Structure formats: structure tokens, C-alpha cells
Amino acid sequence: MLTGTVLGSAISYLDVAVVNIALPSIGDYYDLDLPALQWVVNTYLLVVSSLLLVGGSLADRLGMRRIFLLGTVVFGAGSVLCGLALSPGMLLCGRAVQGLGAALLLPTSIPLSTSGFPASSRGVVVGLWTAFVGVGAILGPVLAGGLLDSLSWRWVFFLNVPLVSVSVVLILRYAPVLAESERRARPGGRPDLAGSLCVVVAFGALAVALIEGAAAGWGGPVVTGGLVVAAASFLAFPRIERRAERPVIPPFFFRARGLWYANGLTVAIYAGFNVMFFLTPLYLQHTGNRSAQLTALVILPVEVLLLLLSPLMGRLTDVAPLRPMLAVGTALCGTGTAVLGVGAATTVSTWHVLAGVGLFGLGFGIAVAPLNRVTLDSVPDEHGSTAFGTNHVVARVSAMIAVALVPLAAGAGSGYVPDGDFSGIYARGMLICAALLALGAAWAALVPLGPRRHD
């Protein structure tokens, strides 16, 4: 069971690193500027962000196993469409299909993995899940770098197909083991279509406004209209949810201090993570003239350290306070991005990038398992998929906004092509991330966590 969920989950986490490594090749192939490359990343993030709550709600209603399988298959279909893309528009359509699949499988991954284990062992299971996903995230970029240097960027998408196939076979094979999680699903009541549509419209309008504003300026009608629609949708959402028979977000979620704590910290960590993975391959391959294979190896410490530390941190979450681990981990992430920023301002060195990425990876490996545990402990078991869906929404929305705005704040204006000397923009972008992560470390250390439900 654990192997099947890990393989299915790994493809969505793997996608972040692999596609970002491939961005320079995709940009060269289609002659894309930076705003267009942002759409390659943010189309996926937009669809995931818009539909994660729907995916979590469907899993709680129809069964985690069923929704996980559907999401895995859809993600695989989107990967094939990306690999066969004949135009940028077709590539973006494939990325949207991948996002739909990820929105279905991500909220169910950890709750499904822990469903067959007692509460006292959940920290260990969360740690093992995180570590095994990390194995896929290690192997993926290395294989992707080799494929990019020897074949084509298309193969980084085809790489998902065997993982999807094995995951589906394992989940189907062990269906009797997963039957209990299906029985825990809660049928009955009408789905919250109005709330789901409101979420989709809000995040879609926000993404269009942010990316178009960064690309064409902030005074255009598309940007203004997008911001107005997004604001109206966000304001309407609580009212819709209060009237819904089965709301997308259960009302008590807004009173769960653990969820507020986890989601606030998630904003800082995943914004920094995604901006680093978006800008670093462009910096190394364009400014430093490094190969895709070397780029993959340089950013590998994040995944290696996640793999090595997650089992230990998962065990510690069963017995140790969570706030110190989260504060230290976030601070180390911020230190890593600061090293990247300061180093890029003085020289183009593979070693300074390796040092900064290593520090970020150390902090990331310390923080991820405790962060997942806080989310898991914040709500009753039957709402686990929705809670993880909510947390993943926060992660993807913060990533989407950061990828759209941080390059702009760092000096990459409309129509900017990241070719040649990219060091100034990269340095400023990393220092912005360092400041955000410093705020995240303060949040982790100072904000009350609230009671741990499984203690």
C-alpha cells in the first residue's frame, strides 16, 4: 500500500524539479520569454491550487483509494500530452491536465498511507512516506538531466508514465488492504458545487492577473478585472460555505489553530522552495553555461537530505516538540537562500550554489515531516484528505504568487528573456526569499501551535 501511494505521489513532487530543469530547453525550443516560462510552471500550479479542495472533499466523500487512482491516471495522461506537445498552447493544456491529476491524488496521499496504522505509529509512517517520495525526487532530476542532454525535453514528461503504471497496478493489487479506508468515506449530502466553482474562479482570476501584470504592466483591463473577480470570489466564499450542506472546507477548520500554524509556515517554506527551483536552473544554464545534467546534480542535495532526514524527523514527531524543529528547519532554509543570493552577486560558482542548496535542503529535510504531522494532528481522521488538500492549496498558491512576483521584484520586467547575465536578478530573488523565510522562522518560533490531537 505504502509503495503504491508513494509512487503516485512522487510524480507530482518530481514534476517540480524535473520541469524546472527542463525550462531552459523548453524556452529555447519554443523561443519563450520569462513570462511565458512562468506560465509553464504556473498553469500547473493554478489548476492544482483551484481544485485541491475539491479533490480532498471528493476523497472524503467517495473514498481515498478511488480518488487517488483517478488522479494518478489523469496525471499520467497529462504527462503524455506534454511530451507530445506540438505548440506552447498544447504544452500548457498538458500541464493543466497534470494539475487536475495532482489535485485529486495529493490530498489523499498521506491520509491513505497512514490509514492502516495506529495513531502511535503515524509519525514513522509520515517520515517513511516523505523519505520514499524523496527517493523518486532524487532519481527523477538525475534521469531528467541525462535525458535533456542526450535526447529531448519531451522525455522528462514521458518519464512519469512507468511510475504511473506501477502505482496503479500496486493500488489495484492491494485493494483488499485499502478497503477500510473506503469504508471510512462519508457518502451522503449534495456536493458543494458553488463553493468549488468559487475556489476555481478565485484562484484562476488571481493567477491571470499576477502573471499578466508581471508580463504587460499592472494597469491593463485584464489585470484589473482579474483582481476584482478574485477579490469578489474570495469574499463570497465564506458566505457560500455557511449555507452549503457539505462545504468544501468544514467550518471548524477556521478554528483549528494547528491548521493556521501549518498553513502560515507553508507559505514561507514553499514560496522559497519553488522560487529557488524556478530560478536556479535558469541561472546555472544561462549565466553559468552548465549542462542540464550538472544542474540536476547541483540541486540534488535538497532531495538527498529530505530522504536521509525524514525517517528520523518522522520518529521525533511522535515524542518531541514540533515548534523547535520547524523553527530551526525554516531558518536553515532561509540561510541557504541567503548564501545563494550573496554568492550570485559576486561570482558564478557551482560550489556556492551547491552550498546554498545544501543548507536549504538541510532545513527542508528537518521541517517537512513535522509540518505534515501538524496538519495530520489538527483535524479528525475522517477530514484528513480535506485538511491535506487545504494545506496543499496554501503551498501551491504561495508558490504560484511567488513565482509570478519575485522575479518581477528582482528586476525581470515585461518580455525579459533569461539569456546571458542573469546573476543580478537571481541574487535579488534569492535574498527576497531569504527575507520571507526569516519571517517564516519567526512564525514557527512565536505563534502558538495549539494542542496535538493524537497526544
Side-chain angles (χ1 to χ4, degrees), residues 83-357:
L84 297 175
L86 301 178
S87 67
M90 186 174 175
L91 176 62
L92 295 183
C93 287
R95 294 289 285 157
V97 176
Q98 282 186 308
L100 172 60
L104 295 174
L105 69 89
L106 280 173
T108 61
S109 52
I110 292 182
L112 186 58
S113 299
T114 60
S115 61
F117 296 88
S120 60
S121 302
R122 286 180 178 176
V124 176
V125 177
V126 170
L128 289 173
W129 180 92
T130 307
F132 290 150
V133 168
V135 171
I138 289 171
L139 296 177
V142 174
L143 292 173
L147 292 172
L148 286 165
D149 286 338
S150 59
L151 295 173
S152 165
W153 59 266
R154 299 180 184 277
W155 286 94
V156 304
F157 294 104
F158 292 141
L159 186 64
N160 291 327
V161 176
L163 292 177
V164 166
S165 302
V166 174
S167 176
V168 169
V169 169
L170 287 174
I171 295 297
L172 290 174
R173 169 66 178 83
Y174 292 101
V177 177
L178 300 176
E180 177 63 25
S181 67
E182 294 291 1
R183 288 195 293 271
R184 281 172 43 194
R186 296 174 295 121
R190 292 179 297 176
D192 183 14
L193 297 179
S196 301
L197 180 61
C198 191
V199 170
V200 172
V201 171
F203 289 135
L206 179 63
V208 170
L210 291 176
I211 297 177
E212 286 303 305
W218 297 95
V222 173
V223 176
T224 303
L227 292 176
V228 169
V229 170
S233 300
F234 281 124
L235 290 173
F237 182 71
R239 185 174 183 180
I240 292 172
E241 293 301 275
R242 284 195 295 269
R243 296 180 176 182
E245 184 178 353
R246 289 184 57 83
V248 173
I249 299 180
F252 75 88
F253 273 31
F254 297 100
R255 301 187 300 272
R257 281 198 292 172
L259 280 183
W260 281 103
Y261 180 93
N263 290 337
L265 192 54
T266 294
V267 170
I269 292 176
Y270 281 92
F273 176 88
N274 282 275
V275 171
M276 185 188 73
F277 269 90
F278 177 69
L279 294 180
T280 299
L282 296 171
Y283 169 69
L284 286 173
Q285 294 181 52
H286 283 302
T287 303
N289 294 315
R290 274 41 171 199
S291 67
Q293 183 72 79
L294 182 59
T295 299
L297 293 174
V298 169
I299 66 176
L300 203 58
V302 173
E303 310 301 348
V304 172
L305 288 165
L306 182 65
L307 168 65
L308 295 177
L309 291 173
S310 289
L312 171 63
M313 301 311 298
R315 290 185 179 92
L316 286 177
T317 63
D318 287 326
V319 296
L322 300 180
R323 288 174 64 189
M325 291 186 280
L326 290 166
V328 169
T330 309
L332 285 170
C333 289
T335 304
T337 54
V339 168
L340 291 171
V342 172
T346 57
T347 182
V348 182
S349 168
T350 303
W351 292 107
H352 102 262
V353 176
L354 191 61
V357 170

Side-chain angles (χ1 to χ4, degrees), residues 66-83:
R66 184 179 294 115
I67 298 302
F68 184 89
L69 280 170
L70 177 61
T72 304
V73 172
V74 170
F75 192 98
S79 299
V80 172
L81 183 58
C82 288

